[in-house]
Amino acid sequence: MNSESQRKCDKCGRINKIIKYSFPAADGFDHSCDCAYCKQILFPISRKSFDDYVAYKTE
């Protein structure tokens, strides 16, 4: 099940729409959710996580 939220980037100040994607297994790699505008890291994602988060532009 996918869910949606919003987060403001600390670097550029723009609002990102964050979509959470759930997977049946963790892939074991380090990930991060990056700003869709300036690529600043919004937050890290654990390599043990079954979820991935992707930022999309809202403007």
Side-chain angles (χ1 to χ4, degrees), residues 32-47:
S32 63
C33 182
D34 303 333
C35 177
Y37 298 95
C38 71
K39 302 303 178 195
Q40 171 76 14
I41 293 176
L42 297 174
F43 56 89
I45 302 167
S46 168
R47 67 177 53 207

Side-chain angles (χ1 to χ4, degrees), residues 11-44:
K11 183 178 178 186
C12 71
R14 291 172 138 167
I15 302 295
N16 287 267
K17 177 172 67 174
I18 308 296
I19 306 289
K20 176 178 135 180
Y21 297 96
S22 295
F23 296 99
D27 66 9
F29 292 101
D30 285 326
H31 294 278
S32 63
C33 182
D34 303 333
C35 177
Y37 298 95
C38 71
K39 302 303 178 195
Q40 171 76 14
I41 293 176
L42 297 174
F43 56 89

